Amino acid sequence: MKKSAASEQTDSVEKTPASKRTAAGKKAAAGRKAAATKKAAAGEKSTAGAKTAVAKKTAPKKTAAEKTATKKPATKKPAAKKPAAKKTAAKKTAVKKAAPLKRQAPAKKPAVAPKKAAAPVKGVAPVKTVAAEPPGGESRTALVRRARRIDRELAEVYPYAHPELDFENPFQLVVATVLSAQTTDLRVNQTTPALFAKYPTPEDLAAAVPEEVEEILRPTGFFRAKTRSVIGLSKALAEDFGGEVPGRLEDLVKLPGVGRKTAFVVLGNAFGRPGITVDTHFQRLVRRWRWTAETDPDKIEAAVGALFPKSDWTDLSHHVIWHGRRICHARKPACGACPIAPLCPAYGEGETDPEKAKKLLKYEKGGFPGQRLKPPQAYLDAGGKPAPPLGAG
């Protein structure tokens, strides 16, 4: 029984440490697990820290880039604001500068005054302002039609129109045309019979004594200069053209005293080659009719020539010149007796009363002798009268 008691005690003693050991083991196991979990947690924290450290290391680079990216526009924005401030400042200064201009508004009045003062100046020179454009906004086509209609009307009024210089050959015509400068065709026609009777050829006139020629040409005015011209062109014809008048413009204008006007008179009436004769009458009328605004004879020739076929140029010249000598005078045109009054933009510049206008007509239109001593038969048939010879009154 004692053994059993002792065994029981040993057993209990043995059992007790064993249980304690198991409890301690359990606690140790629990401790190990807790330590393992703590280590795991610590590892996770360390890995998380490493990750956050890596992220922090990479993050500053990105944020730095972002900061630089954000800093640049930030620097630009103030820069943009500064020009805006400058612009506003400039606007303010512009407004401030503009303010004195408004105060100086009265100073602008003198700038307007010259324009008003220029109006009378333009009115003084109607040649430069009247014919720059067709009247009433007339188109180019309408101008051509009106110009050609005027020529047709004049052709019916002057069917006998011809050069109003007496001549029998090209030499006489070129000399007579040179002499007609600054005088009337009538005075030339009264002078040339004596000249050609004494010097019928270029060779004769080239060898003439200047003083003798001057006495013959004295009635035409500027007789000394005209004597030099006719003797000079006669010498040129005799030496350079075999005593014949050339039929080309470029040759004619080389002769002394011969210009484009004289050359076209000779070409049109002695050689049948069309040309426009721009004399004082022609210039005056084409500007009154507003065919052109030009004042230079060469430019007038080109401008008017563009309105008509070339074949009409010579007759057109006769029609216009005849009308200028008989009806459309320089100082007092007979508007009331003008057959083309409905087509004339300048109607009313002269006498519009028909009865008073008739008293202004000249030559055959007024019942007076013409300018030629030997006019064509057609002129005589139309009621024209020959001009009296020199000294016959």
Side-chain angles (χ1 to χ4, degrees), residues 77-98:
K77 285 180 182 178
K81 286 180 182 178
K82 286 180 182 178
K86 289 181 182 179
K87 285 181 181 177
T88 53
K91 286 180 181 178
K92 287 179 181 179
T93 54
V95 171
K96 288 180 182 178
K97 289 180 181 178

Side-chain angles (χ1 to χ4, degrees), residues 146 149-150 153-154 157 288-289 323 327-328 333-349 351-352 354 357:
R146 182 171 62 85
R149 184 178 174 185
I150 288 176
E153 295 286 341
L154 295 179
V157 177
R288 276 183 178 170
W289 296 336
H323 190 64
I327 298 177
C328 196
C335 295
C338 181
I340 61 168
L343 302 173
C344 181
Y347 175 78
E349 289 186 5
E351 182 59 62
T352 56

Side-chain angles (χ1 to χ4, degrees), residues 82-392:
K82 286 180 182 178
K86 289 181 182 179
K87 285 181 181 177
T88 53
K91 286 180 181 178
K92 287 179 181 179
T93 54
V95 171
K96 288 180 182 178
K97 289 180 181 178
L101 293 176
K102 290 181 180 178
R103 292 177 184 175
Q104 293 177 357
K108 291 182 181 179
K109 290 182 181 178
V112 179
K115 293 181 181 178
K116 293 180 180 178
V121 176
K122 291 182 181 178
V124 172
V127 170
K128 295 182 179 179
T129 57
V130 170
E133 294 180 358
E138 186 179 32
S139 65
R140 175 73 179 180
T141 302
L143 172 61
V144 171
R145 290 176 179 173
R146 182 171 62 85
R148 294 185 182 185
R149 184 178 174 185
I150 288 176
D151 184 44
R152 290 194 300 269
E153 295 286 341
L154 295 179
E156 294 180 4
V157 177
Y158 310 107
Y160 43 80
H162 57 272
E164 293 191 277
L165 290 170
D166 286 323
F167 69 97
E168 295 178 358
N169 53 58
F171 171 65
Q172 292 185 1
L173 180 58
V174 68
V175 170
T177 306
V178 171
L179 297 177
S180 66
Q182 305 298 323
T183 190
T184 63
D185 288 353
L186 172 61
R187 185 61 66 190
V188 174
N189 291 334
Q190 292 173 335
T191 304
T192 51
L195 179 68
F196 295 139
K198 191 171 184 178
Y199 311 104
T201 65
E203 290 81 3
D204 296 330
L205 189 54
V209 178
E211 290 76 13
E212 295 179 359
V213 177
E214 288 177 1
E215 288 302 316
I216 297 174
L217 301 182
R218 186 179 292 272
T220 64
F222 303 96
F223 55 91
R224 289 188 178 89
K226 291 180 179 180
T227 297
R228 290 193 295 270
S229 294
V230 296
I231 291 178
L233 72 86
S234 297
K235 287 181 179 179
L237 291 176
E239 295 173 2
D240 301 333
F241 300 98
E244 299 291 333
V245 177
R248 298 194 312 167
L249 176 65
E250 53 269 29
D251 293 331
L252 285 171
V253 295
K254 293 178 182 178
L255 300 175
V258 177
R260 289 179 68 86
K261 183 191 82 170
T262 299
F264 280 127
V265 170
V266 175
L267 291 173
N269 297 284
F271 294 97
R273 296 177 183 175
I276 295 178
T277 304
V278 184
D279 70 347
T280 55
H281 301 288
F282 194 94
Q283 293 183 46
R284 181 178 72 253
L285 267 62
V286 298
R287 287 198 294 268
R288 276 183 178 170
W289 296 336
R290 301 187 187 179
W291 287 2
T292 179
E294 302 295 344
T295 56
D296 180 74
D298 293 346
K299 293 181 180 179
I300 291 174
E301 173 196 326
V304 175
L307 302 176
F308 295 89
K310 190 173 182 179
S311 58
D312 294 346
W313 287 356
T314 301
D315 288 338
L316 170 69
S317 301
H318 293 325
H319 298 155
V320 175
I321 293 171
W322 275 58
H323 190 64
R325 287 174 173 173
R326 286 151 177 80
I327 298 177
C328 196
H329 313 304
R331 294 184 179 178
K332 202 171 183 181
C335 295
C338 181
I340 61 168
L343 302 173
C344 181
Y347 175 78
E349 289 186 5
E351 182 59 62
T352 56
D353 182 78
E355 295 301 323
K356 293 180 180 179
K358 285 181 181 179
K359 296 179 182 179
L360 301 174
L361 302 181
K362 295 182 179 180
Y363 304 116
E364 76 283 355
K365 293 301 179 183
F368 305 104
Q371 298 198 78
R372 292 189 66 167
L373 277 65
K374 299 177 180 179
Q377 189 61 42
Y379 178 74
L380 299 174
D381 294 341
K385 300 176 183 179
L390 185 65

